[in-house]
Structures are given as C-alpha cells and as structure tokens.
Amino acid sequence: MVRLYLQNIVESIHWDNLPAEWINFDLASFSKDKTLFDYQQNALRNGIKALYKFFIDSEANKEKFYELYKINGFQENLDLDLKNGKHQKIFDEFINDYKIEDNKIEFYHFINRMSFWMATGSGKTLVIVKLLEILGNLISSNQIPAKDILFLTYREDLIEQFKRHIEEFNYSNNSVFINLYDLKNYDLIKRENRLRYGNELTVFYYRSDLISDEHKDKIIDFRNYDNFGNWYLLLDEAHKGEKEDSKRQQYYSILSRNGFLFNFSATFTDQIDFATCVFNFNLEKFITNGYGKQIFISKSDISNISNKDDFSDEEKKIIVLKILLLYAFIASQKKYIGDKFYHKPLIITLVNSVNTEDSDLYLFFKEIERIAVGEGDNEILEEAKLKLLIETNGTCEFTNEVISFDKDIINSLTYDDILKYVFNAETYGRIEVLKIPSNKQEIVFKLTSSDKPFGLIKIGDISEWLKNKLTGYEIIETFDNESVFTKLNKDDSDITILMGSRSFYEGWDSNRPNIILYINIGKGSDSRKFVLQSIGRGVRIEPIPNRRKRIQFLYNNNEINKEEFDQIKNYVQALETLFVFGTKAKNLAEVIETLKEEKQEELLGDLFEINPDIIDKLLLIPVYKESEKIIAEERETIKFLIHSADYQKVKEYFNYLGDKIVLIKYQCNVSVLNVLKRGFNGYADNYFKLDSQISPIKNPDLLLRTIIRHFENKVKEFNTFKPLQNEIIHFKSIRISKDKLDALREKIEIVKRVKDRDGLVAALRERFQRGEISLDDYTRQIEEIAINLTRETEVSYSVNENLKIKYLSNHYYIPVALIESDTAIYIQHIIKHPSEVYFINELENYLQKNDNKLKNFDWWYFSKIDETLDEVFIPYHNPKLKRIVKFKPDFIFWLKKDSNYFILFVDPKSTEYTDAFRKIDGYKKIFESDNNLRIFNYNGLQIKVYLKLFNTKILTPPEQDRSFWCDDINQLFNAIIN
C-alpha cells in the first residue's frame, strides 16, 4: 500500500500558521442536536490545509503541487496506463487537458484531489456538509476560485440521507445556507441565474452509479455536464457499484480536472486514493481512539484451514451455543450496570446474499428453535462453555487488549439463562411467526411461552422464507403495521437476534450490536467491503447519551465522574466489545484478512510499560472546570483580535442590523449583545485588539458570527489536583509502519530489561555471600548482566535517521523512543522533534554532573506529553481560533522535597515570543496571582506549578515574561530550588 503522503504533508503544517481567513471557521457546530467530534474537526483542518497548499502556495498549479509530494519522499509510479485501451478513448477527447506520453498520463494530472479514509459509522456525511460550508466561505472571501459544486453518492437512500442532513444544517442558522438541486436541472439553474443572498451556496447532486458516457433515462453522459472541468466534486463511497467503476473514476477526474475532487470512503482500493489521503480515520483508528467497540474475532478452529474448508455440523451447533451463551453473559452484565449506561445488546446474523437453500442460515434458525423448545444437549452446552472461555481469553484486533471474563459466571449459565436473556421467556415454548401487514421485508419470531418477541428477519423479500422454510409454523398477522426494524434502536425494543443481509446493514446506525455471526460471506474484494461496512455498523458505542467513546476515554476527559466510573468499570468490557463468529472457517479467515488490510502500521504499545519505580509515588496533574460566566461577563474580558478594516466593516454592519435583528438572526446572548454595543460604539479598546498586520476577512456576516461566538465562550478555571491515572497514554499507541518493523521489538525488550538489573545484581551478591558461587562466577555473571542489559540501542533506517531506544530511570514509562527527524512519518507518538531530542540529551548530560540540582529532591520523575492523545494541559485563549484551547507542553516534571511539591511544565519547541505569549497568559491566569506564584494545598503538600519555555535560540521577549524562557538545564531547575 502506498503511503498517505498528503496527510503527512498537511500534518507537518501548524494550523495557527495559516492566515486568519483560512482558520476562522466554527468547525464544531452543525445543528441543535449535533456537534462534530474532534476527529471530524481534524479531518476538516487537514482538508483546509491541503486546499491552502494547492490554491495559495502552489497557485492551483498541479505540477507545483506534485513537487511538494516529491520533496516529501514520493517515489511511486502512479501514472495512468492507457496500454490496455480501456481508458484511451475517454482521454483522447480531452487531449488539450492531459499530456499523454508513451500511452501514459502522469500522476500529477490527477493530483488536485484529496481522499478521506473514514470508517463506517464515523460520520462522514457531517464532515461533507461542513466541508461544503467551508468551500462556500472560501469562495465568498475570494480565497479559492468560484466553481460549481457537485455531490455524488451511489444509492438513492444515501441521497435522501444527505438531503436530511442539509435540511438540519440549514435550519440551524449556520454561516452558509445550502440550496440543493438535481444535476439534471443544471442548465435550468445556470440559465435562470437566480439571485442569491450573500451566504447562499448552490450544490448539485446525483447518483454516482448513473454517471456514464451515454445518455438514457436516468443514466447521464458526463460530457453533458463537463463544465470545462470546473467542478468541486465531492464523492461519498462513489467507487461502489458495477464493474464500470474503473471507467467511472476517470469521469470523476475529468469533471474536476480544473477544480478539485474530494473522495470520502471507508474502503479504498485505488493507490492514488492512498497517496492523496488527507485524513485517515479508518476502522483501526476509529477503534484505537476510543470511538468504537473493540473487535474480538473468535478464531474457532481455523488453525487447520488449509486442511478443511468448513466446520462439522456439531461444530456449527457449538458455535451457535457459544453465541447464545455469550449473549446471556453480556446481557447479565448490562442488567448489573442498569438502564442509565450503555445499550441493550443485540446479536446480528449476516449473509452476503439471501438464499433460501442456504443450509447454514437455516441451521442457525433450527438450532435456536431446538433450544427454545427444550431439546438442548447438556454435553454440547458444557463443551460450548469450555470453548467460549478458552476463546474469550485472547486479544482484540487493533488494540491488543486482553478479553478476560469471569469464569464462574460463564460456567454457571444454563439453558434457563438463555431462555431468559435471549428468548425473553421463563419457560420453553414453540416458535410463532408474526407477519406485519403490508411489510414484505420483515418476519418476527416469539415463543408461545412469552408475550415478547425475540427475533427478527430483515431481508429483501420474505415470501420465499414463508413459503419454503416456515411451513408448519403458526403464522400470526399482527395488528400493528409499524416496522419492527425501525424501532430496533429504541429502549423498549425486545428483539435480541437480528437476521438479515445487505438490505439493512448499510445506512443503519445502532449502538446495540455486540455479536456478529457471518454466514457464507464468500471471498474477494466485494466481501471485504461487506465485512468492513457491517463491522463498521456494529462498533458504534454510546455509554452515556450523546457521549460516543468507550468509558475509559470518557473518564480520562472528565465526562463521567469517578463514583459512576468506579461503579461500572469492571462490568463494561463485554458491552464495549463486538464479538465476531462465523459458521465457515473461510468466513473467519476473510474477516481477519480484511482487518489486517486496515492496519498500515504495527502497534508497539504493548512493549512500553509504566515505570515500576513510580508505583508508590504521587504524580499530580491540574484539573480545570468551566467558568460559570461567558467571556462577555468576565471582569477581564479576553479581547477579540481583528483587522482594523474588518472592525470598521462589521461595526457598520452591526449598527445597520440593529439589536432585535442581531438577537434573532444570530441567536445572540443578551450579555454579548451589550458588549457588542459598547465595543462598536466608543469602547473598542476594551473588547477588541485591532491589528493591521493580520489578513482581513472582508465578510461582515462571518465576522459578526465569529465575534459573537468568541464572547459566548466560557474560560477554564482551576478546579483541583488529581493523581495521574490515564491522562498520559500516548506510549500505548506508539506504532510503526510494517516495512520499518525490522528487529525493533527485540531491541525494545532488551532495553526494557534494564529495570531488572538491580534485582539480578542483588540476587547474585546474596548467592556470593552465601558461598553458592565463586568470585570468578560472580564477576563473570556481573559482566554478562552489564553486556546483556544495555540502557540504549538504536535501529538505523537511513544515513540521517537512527531510532534510539533509551532507558531513562526517571521517565514515567520505559523505555523511551527518540528519533531526531520531524519527517520520520513511519513511526508515531514518540519523541522526534529536534528540540525535544536536544532537551532529552541535555537532561541526560546534566544528570551526569555531581552538582545537578535534581539530587536535592526526595524524588523526581518526568514524562513526555503527546499533544494528540494525552490530557495534561494548560488552557489558554487562542486569538486566531477565537476560543479556549489546550496548550500541551512537551514535558511535565514532578518533584518532591519534604512537604513541598512542584509541577514543572517544559516546552522546548517555543522559539517565537509572539507564538508563546498567549500560552504564558493562560498559565498566569491560573497559576499566578498578582505576578506571584500561587501556592496550592493538597493533602498536606504545598504545590507550586511552573512553566518554562526551553530553547537556545530565544528571541528577546518583553521584560515581564522573560523569566519564562531559559536556555540552560541548570537554569531550569534553579528557579524551583530557590
């Protein structure tokens, strides 16, 4: 697989370094009920940075943009080969736009594009709609050329879903109002040239699978809508469909040849989409970042898959019983937790296509019927329990977390428990079939001994099942004509087993699935898409209403209190896991192979561990709370940074609208309105910082929205200190590209064994003192320990890139990985910025000195802080983003001397005062009072918190902040000692 070059390019660009008009967007808000998650906002940021690099830095010149790829290591040959003739005819018509040499079109012709690799269920549609808003604002502010916009997706129901999202977005009074039109009306809309208000945006839409090179009925010829290639084209899973896809992809490229193409998908196959991927949040990323359930695949008996293609009938019966036992266990955990948290679990049985002769699907149905009527075999039940316990003691895909259930609970499960939890019944009974009037897609099952249904079949047409499989069953036509499937996600749904096919798994969102059984999913690329789509639908999670992350992540981010977390944490693992089974060994092999393809990198987090020396040490971090007041109500108002010309424009616009219109149009808080009235009428200096050096935005409507949003923000205040728990976790996510793995695991293990050195030496000394070994043996073994337990090793990847593995005794986790190269894109979440590596080297040299100040403390430890994954920070107001953000210094130190406790934040990357003074201001507001350090009391300790910006190339800052900067390690600790 080709590297994700565009993502690596844009993620090396600091967001704050873009001009104000390129970052002055509200990336979070969508509607009254929806707010974009952090990863969705990051997708938009990456997209904006790529647009900036193409349209501004590269001046919309494809060859210039291609040079940027090559500077960043691009070497692959992704030229389009025309030798087979399949694409030759298409491009011959556009010979003036494409340079064809040696029957090839060079890759740079297709480089005006970006792809978003986002897992099913990750909310791509919200990102697409927000991207439309951003394009509209960039067009209106003349940052990018004005071009027509076209949205394509491959199914009618997905178009309807897109329309609903647009309607919801428009209703919520965002900065752009989006008008949608069918592409077939393109000429009419363009000819009418309808008058638009300033913030309106026209977007066309159509089915991607109906774009062709001929015209008939709904199928349209792309040439009729060519528009000289001046489209901003957004594709949503538009590579899906028929075998014509490879040709259709070229139509999309041609339509956007003088514009830009945005491709969104959960599954890519084209290498160009990987090279131009601007944001990767595939299934692996979605899960490892906590947004979905973990995935556990039952390996069953597939170790001998080369010798057998299928399981025996008895093995299939055991698989079904394992599923029902596992469901009973999960449901028991949910019952303990209660209704306040999580979902009601659900079993999904999936087939690739519905076939009434499919014996495996029917076997599943017949096996659950056998149990329902009381014909369960106790021997098979016990064997199923044993196998379930063995299998569920493995590790999850992607996260490597060990699944380990309470053996006593599993062993205590009986057929009565299966009846209770799976069949919603207390006693055995026959299966009844409930048919919904006028519904030809759903069949409902219940036991005669229960008044609640338990099963649902959702397929394209139920008539064959009724005719061929359910003869002899009592079929009852219900009085309720409402779909059971549409109510499946409601709290009062009694369905525990859902059986179906493609007719429901796409476009269906639910937190409920905890078990998926695959039946005859087949092999090949089409089946792999099926697996990813269906698993993607199953991994969604929502422990608390509107909080879609696993509970540990919510607790780390203070979204659930400690009391509630402690109450449920030991019972959530099963609910936070999606268990995957298959009735065929090849099904499971296909699932495993599919998930492996998602892994571009190897996770190394299991090789790094928390330093055992800190177990009895109190490592404290500050915790913050939101102020009860918004910025407009604060005594010291945070000023809004604005260009002088923009201030004049928005002032005139505000006074022209008047109070009532501003209140209604912008849903403005009254306190904010009062601030605006004063700020625009005589008291500008109190609320605005005018600066003619920044770029003007020139859009008064957008400016006024942004100003209101700024003054509606709430600042963060200090709340308390808490012991470090899971706020530093980046080392668990250290990963490296597979082609760079080499012998790295072995070298990490070697360095990690240094922690055992003292124990080994002490044991040898005791043996020598007891006379068990001679002096020669003692000396030899000590030398062997010194040789085998090295404190540092390295792996060379190129002349200038050596990855070092170090054992740092006082670091929070061990060992530490460093590489002095920002461009080492193949390894993530380690120390690699040159200033950070320099700091570590300086610290190590300092520790060798006899007079180092750290010897004066009872103990001290420190840790690297990762700005993407860790939650240790200082809040401050970012004037460009117009909101409170988290400043995460690169390192945190904990130092204790008697009852004095010190927390020291060190940031080696800050070189410019203009970049740092807002962060210093944020620190001062919380940890200083009248320019003096605040002293906090915590359980008998007196705590002081320091911030130091460490750099040897310091630009001279103003006098009042000079004490925050230092260029010498000794100087760093002097302030604390003194």
Side-chain angles (χ1 to χ4, degrees), residues 572-676:
V572 303
Q573 189 179 57
L575 285 159
E576 293 197 334
T577 305
L578 179 67
F579 296 88
V580 180
F581 294 82
T583 60
K584 289 182 179 290
K586 67 181 183 182
N587 293 170
L588 295 173
E590 187 70 22
V591 173
I592 293 168
E593 190 59 35
T594 299
L595 295 184
K596 280 182 179 176
E597 289 180 5
E598 288 285 286
K599 294 181 71 171
Q600 287 189 299
E601 302 157 326
E602 196 71 25
L603 186 67
L604 300 175
D606 59 312
L607 298 179
F608 296 82
E609 64 182 54
I610 294 175
N611 191 334
D613 291 342
I614 70 154
I615 291 174
D616 61 340
K617 305 299 188 295
L618 181 65
L619 306 182
L620 295 173
I621 59 168
V623 179
Y624 311 95
K625 63 180 180 180
E626 269 195 352
S627 170
E628 294 181 0
K629 299 177 181 178
I630 60 176
I631 288 177
E633 297 167 340
E634 292 282 335
R635 187 168 58 87
E636 293 183 18
T637 306
I638 299 173
K639 296 179 182 180
F640 184 90
L641 182 66
I642 188 169
H643 190 281
S644 308
D646 277 345
Y647 171 78
Q648 200 57 40
K649 272 194 175 120
V650 75
K651 171 184 174 181
E652 292 170 3
Y653 181 66
F654 172 81
N655 288 325
Y656 167 75
L657 292 177
D659 296 4
K660 289 183 180 178
I661 293 178
V662 170
L663 279 171
I664 297 169
K665 178 176 171 63
Y666 299 99
Q667 298 174 3
C668 182
N669 181 290
V670 175
S671 298
V672 174
L673 181 68
N674 291 331
V675 162
L676 297 182

Side-chain angles (χ1 to χ4, degrees), residues 452-661:
K452 296 179 180 179
F454 71 88
L456 171 67
I457 285 184
K458 173 77 162 65
I459 52 181
D461 187 352
I462 60 173
S463 56
E464 289 297 321
W465 262 80
L466 291 171
K467 178 182 176 182
N468 297 320
K469 296 298 181 184
L470 298 176
T471 54
Y473 289 85
E474 184 177 358
I475 298 176
I476 303 168
E477 187 146 319
T478 65
F479 295 104
D480 187 356
N481 201 26
E482 189 176 352
S483 163
V484 174
F485 179 74
T486 58
K487 298 190 293 184
L488 202 60
N489 294 328
K490 295 183 178 179
D491 293 337
D492 59 354
S493 173
D494 296 311
I495 299 299
T496 60
I497 302 175
L498 172 63
M499 293 171 274
S501 64
R502 293 174 183 266
S503 63
F504 78 83
Y505 83 86
E506 289 180 319
W508 176 61
D509 299 330
S510 177
N511 303 316
R512 289 192 61 192
N514 274 109
I515 300 171
I516 290 183
L517 171 64
Y518 286 110
I519 296 176
N520 288 340
I521 62 169
K523 296 179 73 68
S525 61
D526 191 47
S527 295
R528 285 195 285 274
K529 290 176 187 176
F530 178 32
V531 167
L532 284 175
Q533 290 282 339
S534 52
I535 284 182
R537 292 296 171 199
V539 296
R540 287 194 168 198
I541 194 165
E542 193 172 3
I544 306 171
N546 302 315
R547 295 289 186 273
R548 296 179 179 269
K549 266 193 172 185
R550 298 200 296 275
I551 199 75
Q552 184 69 66
F553 288 82
L554 296 181
Y555 177 66
N556 293 349
N557 204 35
N558 298 318
E559 295 180 63
I560 179 174
N561 64 52
K562 189 175 188 303
E563 183 180 349
E564 290 179 321
F565 177 71
D566 288 342
Q567 178 187 340
I568 67 174
K569 66 181 180 182
N570 295 327
Y571 304 93
V572 303
Q573 189 179 57
L575 285 159
E576 293 197 334
T577 305
L578 179 67
F579 296 88
V580 180
F581 294 82
T583 60
K584 289 182 179 290
K586 67 181 183 182
N587 293 170
L588 295 173
E590 187 70 22
V591 173
I592 293 168
E593 190 59 35
T594 299
L595 295 184
K596 280 182 179 176
E597 289 180 5
E598 288 285 286
K599 294 181 71 171
Q600 287 189 299
E601 302 157 326
E602 196 71 25
L603 186 67
L604 300 175
D606 59 312
L607 298 179
F608 296 82
E609 64 182 54
I610 294 175
N611 191 334
D613 291 342
I614 70 154
I615 291 174
D616 61 340
K617 305 299 188 295
L618 181 65
L619 306 182
L620 295 173
I621 59 168
V623 179
Y624 311 95
K625 63 180 180 180
E626 269 195 352
S627 170
E628 294 181 0
K629 299 177 181 178
I630 60 176
I631 288 177
E633 297 167 340
E634 292 282 335
R635 187 168 58 87
E636 293 183 18
T637 306
I638 299 173
K639 296 179 182 180
F640 184 90
L641 182 66
I642 188 169
H643 190 281
S644 308
D646 277 345
Y647 171 78
Q648 200 57 40
K649 272 194 175 120
V650 75
K651 171 184 174 181
E652 292 170 3
Y653 181 66
F654 172 81
N655 288 325
Y656 167 75
L657 292 177
D659 296 4
K660 289 183 180 178
I661 293 178

Side-chain angles (χ1 to χ4, degrees), residues 685-800:
D685 290 345
N686 291 352
Y687 305 104
F688 294 95
K689 181 176 175 58
L690 276 57
D691 187 346
S692 299
Q693 302 302 310
I694 63 173
S695 301
I697 292 172
K698 303 176 182 178
N699 184 331
D701 175 69
L702 178 60
L703 278 165
L704 187 54
R705 288 177 190 278
T706 309
I707 292 168
I708 290 170
R709 198 164 64 241
H710 164 79
F711 286 110
E712 284 178 343
N713 270 325
K714 290 185 176 181
V715 298
K716 295 281 187 182
E717 298 174 343
F718 175 79
N719 184 21
T720 185
F721 290 98
K722 71 177 288 288
L724 182 71
Q725 289 176 298
N726 292 289
E727 290 79 13
I728 295 180
I729 58 169
H730 68 267
F731 59 95
K732 296 178 182 177
S733 298
I734 292 175
R735 54 188 71 238
I736 190 167
S737 58
K738 292 180 180 179
D739 61 322
K740 300 289 185 183
L741 188 58
D742 296 333
L744 186 56
R745 281 185 170 272
E746 182 184 348
K747 295 198 174 188
I748 292 173
E749 291 288 6
I750 288 171
V751 174
K752 200 163 69 174
R753 284 201 292 267
V754 171
K755 72 179 189 296
D756 303 323
R757 180 183 181 280
D758 292 344
L760 292 172
V761 170
L764 275 176
R765 187 181 299 114
E766 286 183 15
R767 291 185 65 197
F768 172 65
Q769 289 171 349
R770 290 197 299 264
E772 295 176 11
I773 57 174
S774 67
L775 179 60
D776 287 343
D777 285 340
Y778 174 74
T779 305
R780 177 178 55 78
Q781 291 186 52
I782 288 290
E783 289 173 352
E784 286 177 0
I785 289 173
I787 293 170
N788 294 328
L789 300 184
T790 179
R791 300 185 73 89
E792 181 176 335
T793 187
E794 67 179 43
V795 180
S796 294
Y797 292 120
S798 68
V799 176
N800 298 316

Side-chain angles (χ1 to χ4, degrees), residues 768-973:
F768 172 65
Q769 289 171 349
R770 290 197 299 264
E772 295 176 11
I773 57 174
S774 67
L775 179 60
D776 287 343
D777 285 340
Y778 174 74
T779 305
R780 177 178 55 78
Q781 291 186 52
I782 288 290
E783 289 173 352
E784 286 177 0
I785 289 173
I787 293 170
N788 294 328
L789 300 184
T790 179
R791 300 185 73 89
E792 181 176 335
T793 187
E794 67 179 43
V795 180
S796 294
Y797 292 120
S798 68
V799 176
N800 298 316
E801 290 187 347
N802 296 319
L803 177 63
K804 294 183 178 181
I805 309 299
K806 289 176 177 277
Y807 184 91
L808 300 178
S809 304
N810 294 82
H811 196 259
Y812 175 62
Y813 62 85
I814 52 175
V816 175
L818 311 91
I819 187 167
E820 192 170 351
S821 173
D822 271 338
T823 59
I825 58 178
Y826 47 80
I827 188 163
Q828 303 297 329
H829 305 301
I830 67 165
I831 298 170
K832 59 182 178 179
H833 193 281
S835 65
E836 297 173 6
V837 176
Y838 173 79
F839 176 75
I840 291 292
N841 292 336
E842 287 292 292
L843 179 62
E844 282 192 288
N845 292 334
Y846 178 72
L847 292 175
Q848 302 304 312
K849 297 179 179 180
N850 291 328
D851 61 345
N852 81 72
K853 298 291 192 300
L854 291 169
K855 289 183 176 181
N856 297 332
F857 293 92
D858 298 340
W859 55 259
W860 68 274
Y861 291 93
F862 80 112
S863 181
K864 161 74 179 152
I865 299 174
D866 185 283
E867 65 180 355
T868 58
L869 297 178
D870 296 336
E871 285 301 324
V872 180
F873 62 93
I874 300 170
Y876 79 103
H877 180 262
N878 184 307
K880 282 189 176 181
L881 301 181
K882 312 294 192 294
R883 58 187 173 88
I884 306 299
V885 297
K886 297 174 180 178
F887 166 39
K888 297 181 181 179
D890 295 313
F891 298 98
I892 179 173
F893 283 75
W894 299 275
L895 312 99
K896 182 180 179 298
K897 176 67 173 174
D898 301 326
S899 62
N900 295 309
Y901 191 100
F902 309 94
I903 296 174
L904 169 63
F905 290 106
V906 180
D907 194 61
K909 287 204 291 281
S910 298
T911 56
E912 301 263 352
Y913 177 73
T914 53
D915 179 57
F917 82 100
R918 290 290 183 186
K919 297 173 181 177
I920 294 173
D921 281 351
Y923 163 83
K924 284 179 173 180
K925 283 180 182 295
I926 293 172
F927 298 110
E928 288 190 358
S929 177
D930 298 325
N931 292 322
N932 292 314
L933 271 177
R934 291 178 65 185
I935 299 176
F936 303 89
N937 292 307
Y938 181 90
N939 292 349
L941 295 173
Q942 302 226 323
I943 302 175
K944 294 181 181 179
V945 180
Y946 294 83
L947 170 65
K948 293 292 179 183
L949 309 176
F950 183 88
N951 206 284
T952 56
K953 299 176 182 177
I954 303 171
L955 296 181
T956 304
E959 182 63 37
Q960 69 269 22
D961 288 338
R962 197 162 295 174
S963 62
F964 288 94
W965 300 77
C966 65
D967 59 359
D968 176 76
I969 292 285
N970 193 58
Q971 182 185 352
L972 190 68
F973 298 110

